[in-house]
Amino acid sequence: MTEPLDIEADAAERFARFDLGRVPSPCFVVDEAAIARNCRILAEVAEASGAQIFAALKAFSMPAVAPVVMKYLSGTAASGIFEARLGREVFGGHVATFNAGYKAEDLKAIAKISDHVIFNSPGQFRRFRDIVAEGTASPGLRINPEHSEGWTDKYDPAAPCSRLGAPVSQLTDADMEGLEGLHMHTLCEQGFEPLERTWAAVEPKIAGWLPQLKWLNLGGGHHITMPDYDRAGLIEFVKGIRAKYGIEVYLEPGEAVALHAGILVGEILDLTENSMPLAITDISATCHMPDVIEAPYRPKLLGEAETGAPVRLGGPSCLAGDVIGDYRPGTPWQVGDRFAFLDQAIYSMVKTNTFNGVPLPAIALWNSDTDALTMVRDFGYQDFLGRL
């Protein structure tokens, strides 16, 4: 196995070399070399454990890097008809699709282009069993292990009254008839230990069904590419399940594929003060980084100083809460200066919106090894007009 690499420090060092003036503002810049770095780590885990690893498109679904991702991974995990088509038509490989509530017309297409179709409840599978039989997809069921490792209810599929997955305590032998796999996804940005504890809690409840199944999908939320992740533990864990039950094991990390592989470049539009220094930027939290408000969290600033007077960065929208956070610039900002937030390839890119008519960020692909830069997308008024 490759020696653990601090991919956060590696990303900061790589992007410190990037001239922010090379791209329009705002702009997502994704490092092709960093995507390959992450996927190589995942491929090593897959090879050593025997698991198949998919890229979860809900976290990162940039078509321009599909060739890089699929050089190392087995396929994609989709959340509906559009992602399933993207997985099949652009990325290739295996497509595993889960949706909490399928529409019949969508499922007819999904069942033909997916390798696995995962249902949220036994009743849903029974209703659509004939549709699945018309395609080639292997049917599976998402289960709720009823064991919580979540650090916040908003991102915890095992929280009380969760709508995601069939509570494992309610399942019967009849519910398993016709199914070929089980899926569980209860982690979020976590290490190996929470997975190990979850498995210890759920294995006794499903052990009797596993030998009759073809596959087990352990979902996403695994921070496998982070240096403190116990990859050796995960490898032995997967090998143990495969040997014990004679079953294929799948993992579908989303963040791990593109962790610390992209930045969001912005520009200072105005500087003012109201009890503290304020800066208006062309980056909007609500439009470009909604998790800043929804999670919430504070994205890291490229080259931020440890000392100095903090400046509150906010977006151009009319939402009073469109505030990104308080930051200490390496050198005092002037109007027109560029800056960048780190680790913006995941979730930010897939969640952008045009509230208040705020333009979408452009998208650029950079290779930190060769310094090659390609502008992938540049959005304008027609993109705003066409959404409504």
Side-chain angles (χ1 to χ4, degrees):
M1 292 290 292
T2 301
E3 287 296 313
L5 172 70
D6 186 341
I7 62 173
E8 182 175 3
D10 182 56
E13 188 276 328
R14 289 172 183 260
F15 282 112
R17 306 195 308 262
F18 181 73
D19 178 2
L20 304 182
R22 295 175 69 186
V23 295
S25 181
C27 183
F28 288 107
V29 181
V30 174
D31 182 3
E32 182 179 10
I35 297 293
R37 171 203 67 199
N38 289 349
C39 289
R40 280 194 297 268
I41 295 171
L42 295 172
E44 287 183 353
V45 170
E47 182 177 3
S49 67
Q52 292 194 49
I53 297 183
F54 308 146
L57 296 177
K58 66 180 179 180
F60 180 71
S61 56
M62 185 175 174
V65 298
V68 179
V69 173
M70 296 312 300
K71 180 179 178 181
Y72 299 100
L73 303 189
S74 299
T76 55
S79 301
I81 181 61
F82 290 165
E83 286 187 356
R85 284 190 59 184
L86 181 66
R88 174 59 63 215
E89 297 172 9
V90 177
F91 281 80
H94 190 111
V95 177
T97 305
F98 163 80
N99 193 282
Y102 291 106
K103 292 183 177 181
E105 57 269 30
D106 289 344
L107 187 59
K108 290 176 182 178
I110 289 171
K112 293 177 180 178
I113 62 176
S114 300
D115 297 279
H116 290 174
V117 173
I118 302 159
F119 292 91
N120 195 51
S121 70
Q124 188 185 61
F125 171 57
R126 286 192 291 269
R127 268 195 316 278
F128 292 130
R129 189 167 179 171
D130 289 345
I131 293 178
V132 175
E134 294 174 0
T136 58
S138 175
L141 176 69
R142 178 169 178 167
I143 61 172
N144 178 347
E146 298 177 290
H147 172 86
S148 179
E149 292 282 349
W151 44 270
T152 175
D153 283 354
K154 188 181 295 184
Y155 297 106
D156 182 7
C161 304
S162 172
R163 77 189 198 287
L164 296 173
V168 70
S169 63
Q170 298 178 17
L171 293 177
T172 65
D173 289 344
D175 292 328
M176 303 301 294
E177 291 181 6
L179 293 171
E180 297 182 356
L182 291 179
H183 174 284
M184 68 177 197
H185 170 44
T186 59
L187 304 183
C188 178
E189 302 177 353
Q190 289 171 298
F192 168 65
E193 294 76 10
L195 173 63
E196 192 174 34
R197 291 191 294 267
T198 301
W199 183 249
V202 74
E203 182 186 15
K205 302 174 184 178
I206 64 174
W209 296 316
L210 291 176
Q212 72 191 46
L213 299 175
K214 294 182 179 180
W215 52 268
L216 174 69
N217 188 323
L218 297 174
H222 318 282
H223 261 202
I224 298 170
T225 48
M226 291 296 282
D228 58 350
Y229 190 96
D230 182 6
R231 295 198 279 268
L234 176 64
I235 289 167
E236 293 306 312
F237 172 78
V238 170
K239 289 168 64 176
I241 293 175
R242 295 178 68 240
K244 185 175 182 178
Y245 296 107
I247 197 169
E248 289 299 316
V249 176
Y250 300 87
L251 298 166
E252 47 183 43
E255 290 188 345
V257 172
L259 267 172
H260 301 293
I263 57 174
L264 177 54
V265 176
E267 183 176 313
I268 303 296
L269 304 179
D270 193 21
L271 295 167
T272 183
E273 188 162 333
N274 184 2
S275 300
M276 71 174 297
L278 306 174
I280 306 300
T281 80
D282 58 357
I283 292 177
S284 164
T286 190
C287 296
H288 305 152
M289 301 185 294
D291 276 354
V292 169
I293 297 174
E294 294 173 7
Y297 87 109
R298 177 186 183 275
K300 290 189 177 181
L301 178 73
L302 178 65
E304 183 174 13
E306 295 183 1
T307 59
V311 179
R312 180 158 296 174
L313 289 175
S317 80
C318 66
L319 179 69
D322 190 359
V323 174
I324 303 166
D326 298 348
Y327 295 90
R328 294 177 172 84
T331 57
W333 278 316
Q334 302 294 324
V335 172
D337 283 350
R338 293 290 181 87
F339 64 94
F341 292 112
L342 292 160
D343 198 20
Q344 292 304 307
I346 52 172
Y347 283 111
S348 291
M349 294 182 70
V350 297
K351 288 189 172 185
T352 54
N353 63 80
T354 57
F355 164 71
N356 215 179
V358 173
L360 295 170
I363 299 174
L365 185 62
W366 178 56
N367 188 308
S368 58
D369 289 340
T370 66
D371 200 37
L373 178 70
T374 303
M375 290 305 305
V376 176
R377 292 290 305 274
D378 193 1
F379 301 93
Y381 170 70
Q382 292 300 322
D383 297 289
F384 168 68
L385 177 66
R387 296 184 71 164
L388 301 177

